[in-house]
Amino acid sequence: MDLTVVAYAVYLLVSIALTVWVARTLSRNGQIFLADVLRGNEKLADAVNHLLVVGLYLVNLGFVALYLRAADAVATARGLVETLSVKLGVVLLVLGVLHLANVYVLSRIRRRGAMEREQLPPVEPQGFTAPAQA
């Protein structure tokens, strides 16, 4: 069997497994953060969380598919390991960049919401006091 085909198979299996693991981990652990960003609206947080997971799958698996082709044929076991390490390293970097982009956008939304809450008085005004006459 050609080692290039083995490299493709291992790359696909590991990349897909890593993508699923990262998506599930981020979904599970990001739920609390999303609920905070969305001011406790659990139903909306669930929906946004699901959309983020689907987006992560689509972008990363699309990248994995586009990045499948090896430039040169893999002829040795060393070449197989080197090709896999480069390809999987790039996939991990893409996953990391996607995660950081999501966290950045959500933190900006959270910060904006906190600033809006600070501009509102803590209680409604209950009356009016005229200025004192000198």
Side-chain angles (χ1 to χ4, degrees):
M1 179 184 266
D2 186 15
L3 284 181
T4 305
V5 175
V6 172
Y8 289 163
V10 171
Y11 166 72
L12 284 173
L13 290 174
V14 174
S15 295
I16 291 169
L18 281 171
T19 301
V20 169
W21 176 75
V22 168
R24 286 185 178 182
T25 300
L26 294 177
S27 173
R28 190 175 342 105
N29 296 320
Q31 185 68 30
I32 295 169
F33 182 72
L34 279 173
D36 182 50
V37 168
L38 300 171
R39 300 181 185 172
N41 189 342
E42 294 289 332
K43 194 170 183 177
L44 182 59
D46 287 340
V48 169
N49 197 12
H50 184 72
L51 290 173
L52 287 172
V53 168
V54 170
L56 181 90
Y57 281 142
L58 290 173
V59 170
N60 202 63
L61 292 177
F63 175 77
V64 165
L66 288 173
Y67 197 61
L68 176 67
R69 185 169 183 230
D72 299 322
V74 179
T76 64
R78 177 181 172 184
L80 176 69
V81 171
E82 289 173 353
T83 300
L84 286 174
S85 68
V86 169
K87 288 192 168 295
L88 293 175
V90 171
V91 168
L92 289 172
L93 286 173
V94 169
L95 279 169
V97 168
L98 288 173
H99 171 63
L100 290 176
N102 280 338
V103 169
Y104 176 75
V105 169
L106 291 172
S107 67
R108 294 288 305 246
I109 293 169
R110 182 177 185 232
R111 189 176 310 135
R112 186 178 307 152
M115 288 174 54
E116 288 173 2
R117 286 191 295 265
E118 287 178 6
Q119 292 177 355
L120 298 176
V123 294
E124 290 290 325
Q126 298 174 359
F128 176 76
T129 306
Q133 298 290 337

mmCIF file of all heavy atoms in Angstrom, residues 109-128:
data_model
loop_
_atom_site.group_PDB
_atom_site.id
_atom_site.type_symbol
_atom_site.label_atom_id
_atom_site.label_comp_id
_atom_site.label_asym_id
_atom_site.label_seq_id
_atom_site.Cartn_x
_atom_site.Cartn_y
_atom_site.Cartn_z
ATOM 1 N N ILE A 109 -18.960 41.438 22.968
ATOM 2 C CA ILE A 109 -20.403 41.533 23.201
ATOM 3 C C ILE A 109 -20.682 41.652 24.695
ATOM 4 O O ILE A 109 -21.502 42.460 25.134
ATOM 5 C CB ILE A 109 -21.135 40.320 22.593
ATOM 6 C CG1 ILE A 109 -21.037 40.354 21.074
ATOM 7 C CG2 ILE A 109 -22.591 40.284 23.039
ATOM 8 C CD1 ILE A 109 -21.493 39.072 20.393
ATOM 9 N N ARG A 110 -19.974 40.854 25.483
ATOM 10 C CA ARG A 110 -20.162 40.874 26.939
ATOM 11 C C ARG A 110 -19.769 42.231 27.509
ATOM 12 O O ARG A 110 -20.472 42.791 28.354
ATOM 13 C CB ARG A 110 -19.317 39.777 27.571
ATOM 14 C CG ARG A 110 -19.458 39.670 29.050
ATOM 15 C CD ARG A 110 -18.625 38.505 29.554
ATOM 16 N NE ARG A 110 -18.827 38.310 30.952
ATOM 17 C CZ ARG A 110 -17.840 38.236 31.831
ATOM 18 N NH1 ARG A 110 -16.591 38.308 31.422
ATOM 19 N NH2 ARG A 110 -18.102 38.062 33.101
ATOM 20 N N ARG A 111 -18.635 42.775 27.069
ATOM 21 C CA ARG A 111 -18.175 44.077 27.552
ATOM 22 C C ARG A 111 -19.167 45.176 27.187
ATOM 23 O O ARG A 111 -19.466 46.058 27.983
ATOM 24 C CB ARG A 111 -16.806 44.383 26.968
ATOM 25 C CG ARG A 111 -16.151 45.607 27.572
ATOM 26 C CD ARG A 111 -14.752 45.849 27.061
ATOM 27 N NE ARG A 111 -13.936 44.649 27.143
ATOM 28 C CZ ARG A 111 -13.149 44.216 26.172
ATOM 29 N NH1 ARG A 111 -13.081 44.886 25.031
ATOM 30 N NH2 ARG A 111 -12.417 43.146 26.312
ATOM 31 N N ARG A 112 -19.700 45.119 25.965
ATOM 32 C CA ARG A 112 -20.680 46.119 25.542
ATOM 33 C C ARG A 112 -21.932 46.038 26.403
ATOM 34 O O ARG A 112 -22.489 47.060 26.809
ATOM 35 C CB ARG A 112 -21.039 45.931 24.073
ATOM 36 C CG ARG A 112 -21.952 47.027 23.546
ATOM 37 C CD ARG A 112 -22.286 46.879 22.088
ATOM 38 N NE ARG A 112 -21.081 46.745 21.300
ATOM 39 C CZ ARG A 112 -21.025 46.095 20.149
ATOM 40 N NH1 ARG A 112 -22.107 45.520 19.674
ATOM 41 N NH2 ARG A 112 -19.912 46.018 19.476
ATOM 42 N N GLY A 113 -22.383 44.833 26.694
ATOM 43 C CA GLY A 113 -23.558 44.675 27.553
ATOM 44 C C GLY A 113 -23.308 45.180 28.961
ATOM 45 O O GLY A 113 -24.180 45.792 29.576
ATOM 46 N N ALA A 114 -22.107 44.954 29.493
ATOM 47 C CA ALA A 114 -21.779 45.444 30.836
ATOM 48 C C ALA A 114 -21.753 46.968 30.860
ATOM 49 O O ALA A 114 -22.205 47.588 31.827
ATOM 50 C CB ALA A 114 -20.435 44.878 31.273
ATOM 51 N N MET A 115 -21.235 47.580 29.798
ATOM 52 C CA MET A 115 -21.206 49.042 29.741
ATOM 53 C C MET A 115 -22.618 49.609 29.670
ATOM 54 O O MET A 115 -22.924 50.624 30.295
ATOM 55 C CB MET A 115 -20.373 49.508 28.551
ATOM 56 C CG MET A 115 -18.890 49.284 28.742
ATOM 57 S SD MET A 115 -17.881 49.654 27.299
ATOM 58 C CE MET A 115 -18.355 51.322 26.930
ATOM 59 N N GLU A 116 -23.502 48.954 28.944
ATOM 60 C CA GLU A 116 -24.891 49.414 28.855
ATOM 61 C C GLU A 116 -25.587 49.292 30.203
ATOM 62 O O GLU A 116 -26.366 50.162 30.586
ATOM 63 C CB GLU A 116 -25.648 48.620 27.801
ATOM 64 C CG GLU A 116 -25.254 48.949 26.383
ATOM 65 C CD GLU A 116 -25.896 48.030 25.366
ATOM 66 O OE1 GLU A 116 -26.693 47.136 25.758
ATOM 67 O OE2 GLU A 116 -25.599 48.181 24.168
ATOM 68 N N ARG A 117 -25.310 48.233 30.935
ATOM 69 C CA ARG A 117 -25.927 48.054 32.256
ATOM 70 C C ARG A 117 -25.426 49.101 33.237
ATOM 71 O O ARG A 117 -26.163 49.527 34.119
ATOM 72 C CB ARG A 117 -25.662 46.651 32.789
ATOM 73 C CG ARG A 117 -26.477 45.572 32.103
ATOM 74 C CD ARG A 117 -26.369 44.253 32.839
ATOM 75 N NE ARG A 117 -25.022 43.709 32.814
ATOM 76 C CZ ARG A 117 -24.565 42.823 31.949
ATOM 77 N NH1 ARG A 117 -25.372 42.360 31.017
ATOM 78 N NH2 ARG A 117 -23.335 42.375 32.000
ATOM 79 N N GLU A 118 -24.167 49.523 33.117
ATOM 80 C CA GLU A 118 -23.610 50.516 34.033
ATOM 81 C C GLU A 118 -24.193 51.897 33.780
ATOM 82 O O GLU A 118 -24.194 52.744 34.673
ATOM 83 C CB GLU A 118 -22.089 50.571 33.896
ATOM 84 C CG GLU A 118 -21.396 49.387 34.495
ATOM 85 C CD GLU A 118 -19.884 49.442 34.308
ATOM 86 O OE1 GLU A 118 -19.381 50.471 33.805
ATOM 87 O OE2 GLU A 118 -19.226 48.472 34.656
ATOM 88 N N GLN A 119 -24.686 52.162 32.605
ATOM 89 C CA GLN A 119 -25.232 53.478 32.296
ATOM 90 C C GLN A 119 -26.626 53.674 32.864
ATOM 91 O O GLN A 119 -27.086 54.789 32.999
ATOM 92 C CB GLN A 119 -25.245 53.693 30.785
ATOM 93 C CG GLN A 119 -23.859 53.814 30.203
ATOM 94 C CD GLN A 119 -23.875 53.952 28.692
ATOM 95 O OE1 GLN A 119 -24.925 53.858 28.066
ATOM 96 N NE2 GLN A 119 -22.714 54.167 28.102
ATOM 97 N N LEU A 120 -27.291 52.590 33.207
ATOM 98 C CA LEU A 120 -28.634 52.684 33.768
ATOM 99 C C LEU A 120 -28.530 52.887 35.274
ATOM 100 O O LEU A 120 -27.685 52.278 35.934
ATOM 101 C CB LEU A 120 -29.424 51.414 33.473
ATOM 102 C CG LEU A 120 -29.656 51.103 31.994
ATOM 103 C CD1 LEU A 120 -30.358 49.760 31.848
ATOM 104 C CD2 LEU A 120 -30.486 52.190 31.349
ATOM 105 N N PRO A 121 -29.377 53.729 35.857
ATOM 106 C CA PRO A 121 -29.340 53.894 37.310
ATOM 107 C C PRO A 121 -29.774 52.587 37.985
ATOM 108 O O PRO A 121 -30.575 51.834 37.438
ATOM 109 C CB PRO A 121 -30.325 55.027 37.572
ATOM 110 C CG PRO A 121 -31.184 55.117 36.360
ATOM 111 C CD PRO A 121 -30.373 54.566 35.219
ATOM 112 N N PRO A 122 -29.243 52.326 39.195
ATOM 113 C CA PRO A 122 -29.581 51.064 39.862
ATOM 114 C C PRO A 122 -31.044 50.973 40.266
ATOM 115 O O PRO A 122 -31.604 49.898 40.354
ATOM 116 C CB PRO A 122 -28.660 51.047 41.081
ATOM 117 C CG PRO A 122 -28.223 52.456 41.279
ATOM 118 C CD PRO A 122 -28.297 53.121 39.948
ATOM 119 N N VAL A 123 -31.702 52.127 40.544
ATOM 120 C CA VAL A 123 -33.132 52.151 40.854
ATOM 121 C C VAL A 123 -33.772 53.273 40.043
ATOM 122 O O VAL A 123 -33.121 54.248 39.671
ATOM 123 C CB VAL A 123 -33.392 52.376 42.367
ATOM 124 C CG1 VAL A 123 -32.911 51.207 43.181
ATOM 125 C CG2 VAL A 123 -32.756 53.654 42.850
ATOM 126 N N GLU A 124 -35.028 53.163 39.808
ATOM 127 C CA GLU A 124 -35.757 54.202 39.093
ATOM 128 C C GLU A 124 -35.845 55.450 39.969
ATOM 129 O O GLU A 124 -36.004 55.356 41.185
ATOM 130 C CB GLU A 124 -37.169 53.708 38.751
ATOM 131 C CG GLU A 124 -37.206 52.631 37.690
ATOM 132 C CD GLU A 124 -36.845 53.171 36.320
ATOM 133 O OE1 GLU A 124 -37.186 54.324 36.003
ATOM 134 O OE2 GLU A 124 -36.189 52.420 35.570
ATOM 135 N N PRO A 125 -35.743 56.620 39.349
ATOM 136 C CA PRO A 125 -35.925 57.838 40.141
ATOM 137 C C PRO A 125 -37.322 57.856 40.752
ATOM 138 O O PRO A 125 -38.305 57.473 40.118
ATOM 139 C CB PRO A 125 -35.762 58.964 39.118
ATOM 140 C CG PRO A 125 -35.087 58.335 37.944
ATOM 141 C CD PRO A 125 -35.406 56.884 37.977
ATOM 142 N N GLN A 126 -37.391 58.277 42.018
ATOM 143 C CA GLN A 126 -38.683 58.260 42.723
ATOM 144 C C GLN A 126 -39.269 59.651 42.913
ATOM 145 O O GLN A 126 -40.352 59.812 43.444
ATOM 146 C CB GLN A 126 -38.508 57.576 44.071
ATOM 147 C CG GLN A 126 -38.078 56.147 43.913
ATOM 148 C CD GLN A 126 -37.750 55.491 45.241
ATOM 149 O OE1 GLN A 126 -37.819 56.110 46.289
ATOM 150 N NE2 GLN A 126 -37.393 54.211 45.180
ATOM 151 N N GLY A 127 -38.555 60.633 42.534
ATOM 152 C CA GLY A 127 -39.067 61.999 42.685
ATOM 153 C C GLY A 127 -38.056 62.998 42.192
ATOM 154 O O GLY A 127 -37.000 62.627 41.646
ATOM 155 N N PHE A 128 -38.365 64.255 42.421
ATOM 156 C CA PHE A 128 -37.509 65.334 41.976
ATOM 157 C C PHE A 128 -37.247 66.268 43.148
ATOM 158 O O PHE A 128 -38.170 66.627 43.877
ATOM 159 C CB PHE A 128 -38.172 66.106 40.825
ATOM 160 C CG PHE A 128 -37.404 67.291 40.362
ATOM 161 C CD1 PHE A 128 -36.283 67.128 39.581
ATOM 162 C CD2 PHE A 128 -37.781 68.567 40.721
ATOM 163 C CE1 PHE A 128 -35.559 68.241 39.149
ATOM 164 C CE2 PHE A 128 -37.080 69.680 40.305
ATOM 165 C CZ PHE A 128 -35.947 69.511 39.503
#
